[in-house]
Amino acid sequence: MLTILLNNQTISLPAGSTVSDALNALGSSDGPFAVALNDEFLPKSRYQQQPLNDGDTLDLVAPVGGG
Amino acid sequence: MLTILLNNQTISLPAGSTVSDALNALGSSDGPFAVALNDEFLPKSRYQQQPLNDGDTLDLVAPVGGG
Amino acid sequence: MLTILLNNQTISLPAGSTVSDALNALGSSDGPFAVALNDEFLPKSRYQQQPLNDGDTLDLVAPVGGG
Amino acid sequence: MLTILLNNQTISLPAGSTVSDALNALGSSDGPFAVALNDEFLPKSRYQQQPLNDGDTLDLVAPVGGG
Amino acid sequence: MADLLTLYGEVFQSRFLLGTALYSSPATMLDSVAASRCEIVTLGLRRQNPKDRDGQTLWSAIQSTGKRLLPNTAGCKSAKEAINLAEMSREIFATDWIKLEVIGDDYNLQPCPFGLLEAAAELTLRGFKVLPYCTDDLVLCQKLLDAGCQVLMPWGSPIGTGLGLMNKYNLKTLRERLPHVPLIVDAGLGAPSQACEAMEMGFDAVLLNTAVAKAAQPAVMAQAFAAAIDAGRSAYRAGLMLKRQTASPSTPTIGQPFWHQHPK
Amino acid sequence: MADLLTLYGEVFQSRFLLGTALYSSPATMLDSVAASRCEIVTLGLRRQNPKDRDGQTLWSAIQSTGKRLLPNTAGCKSAKEAINLAEMSREIFATDWIKLEVIGDDYNLQPCPFGLLEAAAELTLRGFKVLPYCTDDLVLCQKLLDAGCQVLMPWGSPIGTGLGLMNKYNLKTLRERLPHVPLIVDAGLGAPSQACEAMEMGFDAVLLNTAVAKAAQPAVMAQAFAAAIDAGRSAYRAGLMLKRQTASPSTPTIGQPFWHQHPK
Amino acid sequence: MADLLTLYGEVFQSRFLLGTALYSSPATMLDSVAASRCEIVTLGLRRQNPKDRDGQTLWSAIQSTGKRLLPNTAGCKSAKEAINLAEMSREIFATDWIKLEVIGDDYNLQPCPFGLLEAAAELTLRGFKVLPYCTDDLVLCQKLLDAGCQVLMPWGSPIGTGLGLMNKYNLKTLRERLPHVPLIVDAGLGAPSQACEAMEMGFDAVLLNTAVAKAAQPAVMAQAFAAAIDAGRSAYRAGLMLKRQTASPSTPTIGQPFWHQHPK
Amino acid sequence: MADLLTLYGEVFQSRFLLGTALYSSPATMLDSVAASRCEIVTLGLRRQNPKDRDGQTLWSAIQSTGKRLLPNTAGCKSAKEAINLAEMSREIFATDWIKLEVIGDDYNLQPCPFGLLEAAAELTLRGFKVLPYCTDDLVLCQKLLDAGCQVLMPWGSPIGTGLGLMNKYNLKTLRERLPHVPLIVDAGLGAPSQACEAMEMGFDAVLLNTAVAKAAQPAVMAQAFAAAIDAGRSAYRAGLMLKRQTASPSTPTIGQPFWHQHPK
């Protein structure tokens, strides 16, 4: 098991999970969103290979109105 | 009897009263003040002769702070 | 002979001239204009009867651009 | 011989001259002033040892009124 | 629902009154009047030989616009002068509307409160519909209303200066205290932003001349003022946001990325 | 001849950029965007579950406008945060345009000159087209240009205040000293007259959000700002009259009636 | 050589006139009067039973200062009221000086141009030395002079607001056009910097009350106003530098170190 | 209890810092310094042959005042230049105080935020007591404090312009957000009223040069500024009245004569 902080919420995943796994767990594999891992942008192309470590932070952002 | 309005207060005086009489009735015969009778300035020199009529208005003013 | 001041210009007219006569002398009997005699507005209807006296001032105004 | 730029003026000195030598040549060995050699502050204590090279720039500043 | 301007019972769509003086040519004046979409133009009377060609040409041009005429008494220095010039205007232009000017000073060309009030009262008695060019003095304005004026035209700043709204406190006071009186800011406006602000403050219309006539391209400037006046009016009706002294984010702060509460 | 705005090689007719936040509903936002005639809208990114309905609805609405998107980095407090959020924007919105915000203070929400310059340089290197939200500091602006920015967006006053053009001296200096750089006044505008004045001063465009979204009638206010911005631009091009300190009559003084030189 | 203020033939060193109302106690009023170094104090008349202790105490306190008295007609709404109150003042205070107030509006408490002029003319005929509290209207001011006033007291802004010099254009015009008339800015000043600026503009003196009486520490504020008024007067006489739009170094640029023309 | 100014541990009674440039003669400078009652004077360094008589004379004059010296780095365009000039100052004047100027633009002579911060950090490390001439940018100011500055000197407006307090919003923000930091308004002040207002806003002191040196009578102007600065400080401490939008009578309204409720 590993624990990560996704959008400031703690979630637990099986050891060896990737970013894709985390997104699937959330049910969010498509739609207009982007991801930062440990405060660094992670391109979509890398979701599948990118392993997660215990304590990682994942930011998932989507469009909002803005000024 | 006659009734006058002195500084917006109704007071009654004997018929034939003068302004002096009104002031004496008030106990205000000296001090820094001035008088208007029916909205016209009345000089001190005329208090004694000036008869009052029923319904007259008398303004008695004294110094206050001012800007 | 009588001398009048028409729009600040001195002009001479035969004795007994009317305002109409002055306007005719000027060649200005029609067009958009109005007249003041001695600084008082003179309605068009009175041009013919209105005699002129020596020293009269006549203002003849017409439209100009204005703000 | 070596040529330096002192306060934007070209001056020539014997080879091997020091900053002290340059100041003496100028007749400026005392008074309220300070020196920068090649745009770096040079403390007074180093005038005697500091050799000059051809093409060096020397700034000599003194007090003026200031805002 | 239409947002119309009513002055002495006549109804207008435009809130821009334009002067006809100072243009480089009658053609430029006509282009500017057209570009302004105004429905009322001001004009004046001066000593002329009626046969004078220049005067006739401009007058014909003004007539050709078909706009409502608002003759002025510009330059009059006493009630008597203004009253007589108003009478002459009424005869020539066949209108009882008059932009009443009684000038109190040769240098700042300001309205004379005393002569203005006297003339306004007399002209009202004679059946004129008086639109007085006045200062922003509330007491003067109230007395002009008492004298029968149904429209007031306070100055923004002295004629021809372009200094804009010189005393916003007084102008705001006028608007607040006379909520039902048509108030037209007249004189001193130099830029569309100033006209726009006057309308945002709730003024009913704007009258100007120099800022258009003396622009490098008068007709373009006339169109710009027209748009700015419309904008200011719309903004007034649409309800301006309240000013705040401290910043407030537009983009929401909830969900800001990269702010973490790390698990312990 | 058309008067077009060119930003990073793209050409626009409108000089009004509008934000999409703070509206009472997506429908009101859409009405306001339409009324504004804008061609560029700003938007942001926030943490959301992508399945979140509200976010999806607004995003769909924004997309439906077909406007050019200008994503922002609102709320970022460091160059690093802004750079990463810009990268995320580029991936989501498939545009390399970014309204770069690096906030230096939580209360006045002002740009941080240091973080902003650092982020602008890095993002330019990474191929972004950076439109920095900056202060009116000339030196900062020059350094942003040196770092590769081709457009600058100085503030009028703090975000959401509506205080307008707080430092006209600095803004005029920017315009005079950077005559060929597209300059967009961004933030702090509260009324169309303020936007109009910015355009009269020669600024190329205006970006705002709160003043429209928080108006009582946002779409009407959007239309008012659009008209005022056009008016200010036209006035700038038409050449404003010069301000004068002393009055000058519009109606001619020659031929003033009732002034007599009596014959002697 | 002394720089003295002459009003109706009387000569003063101080250019600060102070009101005596609104203080928390007679003692605070006395301290403030002393700290102000004023030589003229204003005061009023109100209906009182002459035996009233409070009134007597304040009046005794004012008398004890030995200052020149300038009674006012505050609150009068017509020429008639003001004239009669002025007569009552003259009798009580044995002075023909009068600060003439004829109020035209209950909310902004502004002078009524019409009533003021009427009262000023009548009181001058009756031998009063009239110091009218007036607006900044040049025409009104000229008519007050014509009516015999030798001193004018235009407002800065409405009484008690502290808004300062509301219409600097009009105030500058008054000063320029009436160079030899003693002009005292009366009403609306809230801070010493405002009084200082009035003096820098060439006004001859300043009259105020609320800004001192309602300060947290009135006597300290009185002293601050006194110093600021002196400062403004000195600056006016010492000749202020001209404002410039572009920067100009104070420290000389000749001899700037580190700028080299390297030898080739 | 004395109201003292503490800068880097040194205590001063005066809140006026005066420059020594631009006077018509050393004697005028000396008279002005004396009249200003200042305790700190600024001065600079420029290339000179130390035997130069003029330079020596002025320097001797400045020394003779016995005032605390605050040498500047005027005209330096990079951190490196400023650091080296600061070192030269320290050697000549035997003080580690430095008015740090790093100019970012030749025309508005504004501080360069980047070079200034770099130089301030380095000089602090080298033991200098840095008084930076900075803009009114809050983020820059906070970073200068982080770099070790214990005093800040934000500009009012560009050097030598006399335009006064150009951005009061930013200046107020600085004062509110940095309540315990000595803040000295430096540059751009042209009139005592402006200096007075800066002090009323809570600034700790004022530094200027041109407005005194270029007055028609510099020593009189120096004294005027001194008085105005004292006045502004006193007013700040005495608690200014609150501004109001509506008028409020000073003379009481109770007991107003001539208002009658007639008996029925």
Side-chain angles (χ1 to χ4, degrees), chain F residues 152-231:
Chain F
L152 298 175
M153 306 209 297
W155 68 349
S157 48
I159 297 171
T161 59
L163 295 175
L165 306 175
M166 194 169 60
N167 189 333
K168 290 182 190 171
Y169 184 93
N170 272 10
L171 289 170
K172 279 181 196 162
T173 299
L174 283 187
R175 184 65 290 174
E176 284 169 18
R177 297 293 301 286
L178 307 172
H180 304 304
V181 178
L183 296 178
I184 301 172
V185 173
D186 178 7
L189 300 185
S193 57
Q194 297 165 353
C196 188
E197 185 176 5
M199 299 304 292
E200 288 167 358
M201 290 166 69
F203 283 86
D204 294 280
V206 160
L207 192 169
L208 56 87
N209 188 337
T210 308
V212 166
K214 290 298 186 193
Q217 301 177 57
V220 178
M221 191 60 82
Q223 181 273 332
F225 269 101
I229 289 165
D230 285 352

Side-chain angles (χ1 to χ4, degrees), chain E residues 157-179:
Chain E
S157 48
I159 297 171
T161 60
L163 294 175
L165 306 175
M166 195 168 61
N167 190 334
K168 290 181 191 174
Y169 184 92
N170 273 10
L171 290 170
K172 278 180 196 163
T173 299
L174 284 187
R175 183 66 290 175
E176 284 169 18
R177 298 292 301 286
L178 308 172

